[in-house]
């Protein structure tokens, strides 16, 4: 155990910092849930890619730098320290790509990864359906092989980024009459192709952060099947593993928020309750960072990510809500104002934090998973 | 010692609840928001027809001469519906304040306010901005030299956006005004207004909390996942039981605060503050759980949960924020003994020892 | 609504206060979970009864004063204000007696209530069995009619006060082969009679606050059946209603503890977290008192106690744990000492508070009840 | 940057864990308590045989010359078993402190302490009393004029009862002593001792927390109510999942604190404090949930839960109470920026800007 950075790691940090200082937009970009903001964020992905910073853990051949996880963490720390824009390509770069590296064909990787890295193609996920939320295995959308194509039919929902994205990866029933986890397949499809209709869903903040996708005899080449027919559930669970695990929410994000909260607290006059909450938020953000460093070290030493990764989602989502609630409490009468002049989007952050305990497997499901898989309690 | 509401009080609140269940649905809220108008004219007229605006205005000034205890259940009902119109701030704070001002310019308007012909907006140091100043017939604004009565038509209003689209918040700049109360008279007026504002925010918070729980419970009975209603899961049950418990132990505090507010002492102020803290904490937890239980649906605009969420955020900061109200509770803890016989303590009460003697 | 006491209520308070000042022992009695302390507490019950203060809400004919609930609350406030001893006869006076008033025969009332009021006979409850804890309907102990007696067999457990008590009230299966809620009866039996063996169970504090009761052909007169054969479950639920409701924990108890906590806090140097917790404890104790006053008023106006009474148990038990935890936190390094010189038994109080969420229906069961009966959620 | 333990570190801890699983069961604890003796002689000898007492004593002084990182997992294992003997306080605090004192009287005893022939008890301002003073071979007690080395046989010891029967706490009065460090040398020695005491209390807290969860989970799998194991209920699952999550996010803090303790700056002190707060908070929740899940059984003496409860109460107040450690975290927050690159900040580190230049 040695919790100091090597000279190389320090030099790497300096390199990242220098590049970000030169390139991070001085003004925040518009929300990527607006047409204008989406394109601005896509352009930023291009800028990142031009410096080969858009997918640092990927192999170099696809546009990455082949960085280990510690360097990924250093990169993220600098990224959040610099206040760089949110990642509109997160679904692709951090969710689909790791799965594709493991399950994709060489052709799929060559076709999709480079354009994902540059932001030329931005991805949405298409998993949930109206009757398949927490119970993802209740998927009904179908994919039927017809010549060289799958014909897609069904109704996907809660698809984040889908309003403006180019491609989506979704779970489809490829075996007629199959039930639950069987007969499902993961298929990549173009959101702009005929038979695909995307209907924005306004969120509680009024922005269309997610969408419904209606599929009526839309077609995707059979070559877009990923991981084998009928293997969709396993492939999807692998993705969920990554999602709940390291990359969905890098710790630097919460440390940056906790630092802003501490600063807000220092220039306000928080009462005892608020002071206590600020301190807890700071400690929790640090604890999350230490946990991810620890996991990263273990993975680099050849260990595996385990079911305890479910604890991550639980922890950061609850920390995020508490942190933002504390900020609103300190802001007091100003908390409700959307034109808050401080320039710190605490209110937006709070609303966003409320999605945390819901998506990527509701926290109730996460607690079941921890109890059943980590502690071995019987299924209900 | 009687901690029950009268039949009339329960009935009036029931009538308002029924009216709003009918005329202040989620669809109604959305329609009003779409229209860009401040009020639903028909709904407002129905409220006026019930005589509610003057409920707390003395009969001599054209009101019903009732008290906070008579309005508190109605305020709960308005919170339950997330009513956009400023009934509670007007009837509970603005109109009785105007009626209490001993100045001809105020007297001249008090009856109109009691009848709901005009509403009264109030600038108060506890609030950053003035709610509903644009639709008000009169704005009262404290200054160094006393309380100013301002005609909105002769003032410059600048709107600030709240996350709650139905909160119409304004900064007001004026040159013409009438000072209707000197600095010394103004202080108690503003103190009473603050306590009333906080009390009725608490009552609305209770309503919001109960609405969120009811809505979540209804959804949990219907929504099927893994082959059964999600409400059959202990996790959902226990979330909602926790919320309901928070409501059950905020409600009597709010009701007691309404009954004791007239004491105007460190004990009643602490009770009002406790009421606001407890009710809004219940609302905060309940709306978050309502969203959580609805899953992604709950995070969408289509489901009404966000109306309650946003109103809760707004009311939490209005009429004294959390730190302000906790400080008032701390004052009471420091002020006098807290032995179990002091539940209904009053500053002017003879100590029990003397009663015994 | 009028939250001021009438002149009569104030005079009553003064009367209670005067009597208590003259009679409450100056030194705390030994724990009633010791033989010596039990008898000291029994003697205190006798003193209370001599002033007709041991069962103030009972009708006068049985030793009470027929007081309404508001006066009961006033009495309790003064009782806790005076620091008077814990009530060793609580199981009888506050649990069994209200049930007996409703379901008992005139003979039962005449036979049992007066001696209960004086402390001559102290009661234990005998409901749980090793396999029937939260699931009380799993009771297996049997009562078989034999001539004029029931013959009792079985194994009761977690019977509080039973180590030294004289009588017990228990749930028995009177119908052979019956299942669950059916065929159960409530029977009163003498703990000193042949065939009854009481085995103390040491608690986490080492004291024998509860006991096992082994019944081997013990006999109870058939006249000791209460509420009719096979009616045990309904009668028992009525008792549970009272238990969870008003009288199990009077609010004054928590207000007295909160006042002690506030005083401890004022003479210590609590940090922000502790200050916040003290304030919350004070507010919660007050909220509990206000809620009980409100319920009492409603009952006096002819209303009924409802399922929302389940919220009471949940609230006071969680408040009690948090309150005592806060005190220990403020005491810091001294928290662990059992010979703490301040004379305030925070540590004992904390250990005792941990039983709160467990007994009289575990809080998990209470939450189920609230969700199902108050909110109408489907059974699991 | 390597946040993993070595094979040796993992293996040593595993050996201790196995030893204690075998020789420090609930029955063993009850037997020791019944005997009234301070230590289980056989278990203590087995611990001595592993060379653990001198683990952190320099090799020159007869120890293994290892560090906090080498002891932290062993301390977790001791917490898991609620070990009565003072291994951790001796090996983690007392013995290395004695070895660090530059005075012949201390040097003369350091090797015996390293070998476990004697144990070292320490009076520390953070603690009210001195633990295990009666069985110690030497007691170190700070005074105005420096650190006193006291022979227990020549001092008057008065025992104070802890709720944890295995905590042997004493006030010590002495007339004969040797001052082995002056006031100025004493300060850093006591600072290091405090950090170590707090760190290892945290590590034991982690062990206690995990034991409570494991015990509750085992019971929940077996205990049947309403026709199914109680562990099939979501309420039980979610309680335990919450506890396990608290453990998972306390553990890396404890481990990082062990690795960084040598910095001795505001950052490492804050980390140690965070570790103690988080680990004992996890233990507090876990032991309460363990009792709760056991129902009335959990409240009985027969079930081992109360051993873990009582040790948790004791360790929460020992080596700096909660307020003390929160104050140290607050110091760090006020001391320097908390940008995300500062996770492993050190007072002596060159700022990243300079590295970049």
């Amino acid at each position: 155990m040695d919790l100091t950075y090597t000279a190389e790691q320090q030099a790497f940090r300096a390199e990242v910092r220098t590049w970000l200082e030169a390139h991070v937009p001085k003004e925040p970009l518009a929300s990527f849930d607006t047409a204008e903001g989406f394109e601005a964020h896509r352009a930023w992905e291009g800028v990142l890619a031009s410096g080969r910073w858009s997918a640092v853990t990927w192999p170099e051949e696809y546009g990455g730098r082949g960085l280990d996880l510690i360097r990924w963490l250093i990169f993220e720390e600098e990224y959040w320290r610099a206040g760089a824009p949110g990642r509109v390509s997160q679904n692709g770069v951090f969710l689909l790509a790791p799965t594709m590296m493991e399950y994709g064909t060489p052709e799929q990787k060559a076709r999709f990864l480079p354009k994902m890295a540059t932001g030329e193609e931005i991805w949405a996920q298409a998993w949930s359906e109206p009757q398949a939320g927490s119970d993802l295995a209740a998927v009904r959308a179908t994919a039927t092989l017809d010549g060289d194509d799958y014909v897609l039919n069904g109704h996907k929902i809660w698809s984040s980024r889908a309003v403006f994205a180019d491609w989506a990866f979704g779970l489809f029933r490829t075996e007629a009459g199959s039930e639950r986890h069987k007969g499902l397949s993961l298929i990549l499809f173009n959101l702009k192709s005929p038979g695909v209709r995307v209907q924005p869903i306004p969120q509680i903040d009024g922005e269309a952060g997610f969408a419904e996708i209606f599929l009526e005899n839309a077609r995707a080449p059979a070559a877009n099947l990923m991981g084998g027919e009928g293997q969709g559930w396993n492939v999807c669970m692998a993705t969920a593993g990554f999602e709940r695990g390291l990359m969905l929410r890098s710790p630097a994000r919460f440390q940056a928020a906790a630092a802003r909260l501490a600063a807000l607290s220092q220039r306000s006059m928080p009462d005892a309750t608020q002071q206590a909450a600020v301190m807890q938020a700071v400690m929790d953000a640090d604890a999350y960072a230490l946990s991810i460093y620890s996991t990263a070290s273990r993975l680099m030493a050849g260990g595996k990510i385990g079911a305890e990764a479910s604890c991550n989602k639980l922890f950061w989502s609850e920390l995020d809500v508490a942190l933002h609630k504390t900020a609103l409490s300190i802001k007091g009468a100003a908390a409700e104002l959307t034109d808050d002049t401080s320039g710190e989007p605490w209110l937006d952050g709070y609303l966003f934090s409320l999605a945390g305990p819901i998506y990527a497997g509701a926290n109730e499901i996460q607690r079941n998973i921890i109890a059943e898989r980590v502690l071995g309690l019987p299924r209900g | 010692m009687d901690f029950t509401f009268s039949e009339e009080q329960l009935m009036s609140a029931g009538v308002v609840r029924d009216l709003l269940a009918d005329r202040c649905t989620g669809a109604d809220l959305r329609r009003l928001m779409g229209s860009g108008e401040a009020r639903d004219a028909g709904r407002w007229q129905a409220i006026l027809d019930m005589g509610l605006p003057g409920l707390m205005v003395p009969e001599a000034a054209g009101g019903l001469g009732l008290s906070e205890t008579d309005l508190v259940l109605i305020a709960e009902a308005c919170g339950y519906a997330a009513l956009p119109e400023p009934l509670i701030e007007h009837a509970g704070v603005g109109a009785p304040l105007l009626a209490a001002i001993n100045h001809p310019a105020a007297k001249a308007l008090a009856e109109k306010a009691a009848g709901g012909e005009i509403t009264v907006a109030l600038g108060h140091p506890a609030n950053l901005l003035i709610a509903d100043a644009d639709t008000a017939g009169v704005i009262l604004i404290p200054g160094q030299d006393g309380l100013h009565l301002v005609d909105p038509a002769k003032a410059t209003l600048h709107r600030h956006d709240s996350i709650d689209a139905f909160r119409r918040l304004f900064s007001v700049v004026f040159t013409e005004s009438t000072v209707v109360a000197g600095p010394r008279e103004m202080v108690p007026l503003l103190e009473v207004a603050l306590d009333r504002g906080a009390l009725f925010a608490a009552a609305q918070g209770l309503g919001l909390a109960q609405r969120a729980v009811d809505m979540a419970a209804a959804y949990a009975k219907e929504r099927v996942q893994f082959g059964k209603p999600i409400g059959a899961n202990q996790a959902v049950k226990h979330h909602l039981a926790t919320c309901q418990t928070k409501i059950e132990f905020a409600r009597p505090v709010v009701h007691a605060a309404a009954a004791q507010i007239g004491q105007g002492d460190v004990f009643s102020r602490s009770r009002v503050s406790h009421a606001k803290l407890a009710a809004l904490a219940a609302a905060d937890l309940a709306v978050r759980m309502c969203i959580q239980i609805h899953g992604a649906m709950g995070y969408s605009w289509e489901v009404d949960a966000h109306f309650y969420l946003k109103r809760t955020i707004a009311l939490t900061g209005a009429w004294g924020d959390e730190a302000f109200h906790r400080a008032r509770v701390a004052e009471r803890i420091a002020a006098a003994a807290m032995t179990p016989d002091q539940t209904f303590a009053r500053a002017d009460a003879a100590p029990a020892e003397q009663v015994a003697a």
Side-chain angles (χ1 to χ4, degrees), chain A, chain B:
Chain A
M1 180 158 320
D2 175 11
L3 302 188
T4 55
Y5 297 105
T6 62
E8 286 77 10
Q9 287 166 340
Q10 287 181 286
F12 173 72
R13 180 187 295 283
E15 183 191 351
V16 176
R17 186 170 297 185
T18 304
W19 189 89
L20 287 169
E21 276 169 4
H23 292 86
V24 169
K26 298 295 169 242
E27 293 296 316
L29 308 183
S31 160
F32 54 45
D33 294 330
T34 63
E36 176 209 3
F38 191 90
E39 290 312 317
H41 279 82
R42 187 201 290 274
W44 167 247
E45 292 292 321
V47 175
L48 276 173
S50 73
R52 246 177 347 110
W53 295 113
S54 68
V56 293
T57 57
W58 292 11
E60 296 194 19
E61 57 181 309
Y62 302 122
R65 286 171 174 253
L67 294 190
D68 62 35
L69 287 168
I70 297 295
R71 279 172 209 239
W72 171 71
L73 281 163
I74 292 171
F75 172 77
E76 287 286 324
E77 287 170 359
E78 293 300 319
Y79 194 87
W80 285 94
R81 182 182 179 280
R87 300 294 304 274
V88 70
S89 60
Q90 166 156 317
N91 283 323
V93 173
F94 297 124
L95 284 186
L96 177 59
T99 310
M100 195 179 278
M101 303 284 183
E102 191 169 345
Y103 295 98
T105 62
E107 294 72 22
Q108 286 172 339
K109 294 182 203 177
R111 161 66 189 85
F112 292 113
L113 291 174
K115 290 188 176 179
M116 194 187 292
T118 59
E120 259 177 285
E121 290 176 352
I122 292 185
W123 288 76
Q125 70 173 253
W127 285 354
S128 296
E129 299 183 8
Q131 299 309 318
S134 282
D135 184 9
L136 195 54
V139 155
R140 294 178 188 174
T142 57
T144 315
L145 206 52
D146 177 36
D148 288 343
D149 288 344
Y150 281 109
V151 179
L152 309 179
N153 280 287
H155 179 187
K156 294 289 181 180
I157 196 167
W158 316 123
S159 181
S160 54
R161 298 299 86 69
V163 179
F164 304 108
D166 308 289
W167 282 83
F169 50 103
L171 209 49
F172 292 88
R173 210 160 275 292
T174 40
E175 185 189 327
S178 65
E179 287 197 352
R180 307 289 306 157
H181 312 83
K182 294 177 185 165
L184 295 170
S185 299
L186 182 64
I187 294 172
L188 317 175
F189 62 98
N190 192 314
L191 284 165
K192 313 296 184 191
S193 56
V196 180
R197 186 164 62 83
V198 174
Q199 175 77 40
I201 307 176
Q203 298 174 162
I204 55 177
D205 60 1
E207 293 194 344
F210 36 47
E212 293 178 274
I213 305 175
F214 296 93
L215 297 152
E216 286 181 48
N217 296 318
R219 300 183 83 89
N224 287 8
L225 170 74
M226 210 171 87
E229 210 174 78
Q231 294 303 308
W233 184 258
N234 295 335
V235 176
C236 177
M237 284 300 103
T239 306
F242 277 99
E243 179 172 8
R244 281 195 301 269
L246 292 183
M247 295 207 170
L248 180 63
R249 288 284 174 268
S250 72
R253 172 203 163 92
F254 303 105
Q255 291 178 300
R260 279 201 310 276
L261 178 65
L264 171 68
S265 167
Q266 274 163 1
R267 66 175 184 267
S268 311
M269 288 194 303
D271 77 347
T273 304
Q274 291 161 345
Q275 287 170 39
V278 169
M279 194 176 303
Q280 193 61 53
V282 167
M283 287 194 281
D284 287 347
D286 267 354
Y288 183 56
L290 292 172
S291 166
I292 301 295
Y293 264 98
S294 164
T295 305
S297 275
R298 202 174 66 241
L299 291 176
M300 285 166 63
K304 277 205 178 299
I305 205 163
E308 81 282 357
S310 294
C311 294
N312 287 350
K313 161 73 195 314
L314 210 56
F315 193 78
W316 66 246
S317 60
E318 295 185 352
L319 141 68
D320 204 30
V321 173
L323 191 157
H324 284 88
K325 247 174 68 70
T326 302
L328 293 192
S329 175
I330 292 175
K331 292 194 79 70
E336 68 175 307
L337 299 178
T338 56
D339 59 352
D340 174 20
T341 49
S342 72
E344 290 187 348
W346 288 115
L347 192 51
D348 285 356
Y350 178 60
L351 296 186
F352 186 75
S353 77
L354 297 181
I358 297 170
Y359 77 137
N363 283 9
E364 288 75 18
I365 306 289
Q366 303 295 344
R367 284 193 159 85
N368 286 349
I369 291 172
I370 296 166
E372 291 166 14
R373 299 199 202 150
V374 181
L375 301 175
L377 294 187
R379 295 179 67 92
Chain B
M1 180 60 56
D2 173 19
F3 204 153
T4 60
F5 288 93
S6 68
E7 297 257 333
E8 293 73 23
Q9 289 165 336
L10 294 168
M11 205 176 62
S12 303
V15 172
V16 173
R17 206 176 297 121
D18 292 346
L19 171 75
L20 298 182
D22 189 37
R23 306 194 64 154
C24 191
T25 64
D28 292 323
L29 294 178
R30 286 158 205 280
R31 195 169 50 244
L32 181 64
M33 197 184 297
S35 78
E37 285 169 18
R39 297 176 188 168
D40 178 304
R43 183 167 59 218
W44 186 243
Q45 190 55 50
I47 286 168
L48 297 189
D49 292 346
M50 289 180 67
L52 297 176
L55 191 141
M56 280 175 54
V57 172
E59 288 177 89
L64 299 179
L66 298 176
S67 74
E68 287 86 352
T69 312
D70 299 287
L71 190 59
V72 70
L73 296 177
I74 292 170
E76 273 183 56
C78 294
Y80 195 89
L83 179 70
E85 289 80 21
L87 169 66
I88 296 306
E89 300 241 329
H90 174 71
V93 186
L97 170 61
L98 186 69
I101 297 171
N102 194 11
H103 187 284
K107 296 272 174 232
L109 293 167
E111 201 151 330
K112 283 187 179 175
E117 203 179 318
I118 60 166
T119 57
V120 181
L122 172 64
H124 194 284
N127 295 321
L128 285 179
L129 297 161
I130 302 181
D132 304 296
D134 61 335
T135 53
V138 58
I139 313 179
L140 296 168
I141 302 178
Q144 298 279 354
D145 52 345
L147 192 60
H148 292 247
L149 187 149
V150 177
D151 179 350
K154 296 179 183 168
T156 309
L157 275 54
H158 173 65
R159 182 159 181 189
H160 295 258
D161 286 334
S162 166
I163 184 72
D164 179 349
F166 300 114
R167 292 264 292 174
R168 306 176 69 83
L169 300 175
F170 297 88
S171 53
V172 177
V173 179
F174 63 94
T175 46
E176 263 180 72
S177 70
T178 310
V179 173
V180 291
R184 200 178 297 181
E185 300 150 82
M186 177 176 72
V187 169
L189 291 173
L190 291 179
E191 279 178 358
V192 169
L194 171 69
D195 273 342
R196 286 178 176 157
L199 167 68
F200 293 122
Q204 291 177 78
L206 271 188
L208 288 163
Q210 192 63 62
R211 179 60 167 269
V213 168
D214 290 352
M215 196 178 145
Y219 184 73
K221 285 175 217 176
E222 280 177 17
R223 170 72 170 172
V224 172
Q225 290 275 277
F226 299 105
K228 62 182 177 186
I230 60 171
N233 291 300
Q234 254 188 344
V236 171
K237 287 183 187 181
H238 288 200
H239 280 327
L240 289 177
T242 300
C243 292
Q244 189 63 44
T245 301
K246 267 184 141 38
I247 293 172
E248 296 298 339
F249 289 90
R251 187 177 284 127
V253 183
V254 175
H255 295 170
Q260 296 182 286
I261 195 170
Q263 289 179 214
D265 59 15
V266 66
F267 302 108
S268 70
R269 284 196 293 274
S270 166
R271 180 121 310 147
V272 167
S273 290
H274 178 182
K276 180 153 191 268
L277 290 165
L280 272 309
D284 165 60
L285 186 68
V287 294
R288 286 191 287 119
M289 283 305 144
C290 179
I291 290 171
Q292 177 73 17
I293 287 167
H294 279 78
M297 284 290 287
Y299 199 70
S300 78
W301 183 263
E302 183 190 340
V303 166
D304 293 340
H306 65 93
F307 291 122
Y308 313 121
L309 169 71
K310 292 165 182 174
R311 185 66 50 87
T312 297
I313 292 171
L315 292 180
T316 299
W319 296 108
D321 61 18
E322 293 169 294
F324 175 88
H325 288 292
R326 281 193 291 254
R328 298 210 317 177
V329 174
E331 261 175 64
R332 183 266 170 271
I333 294 176
M338 293 195 308
T339 46
D341 55 316
Q342 296 297 306
T343 308
F344 300 103
R346 312 171 60 99
D348 60 0
E353 278 76 10
Q354 295 181 15
V355 173

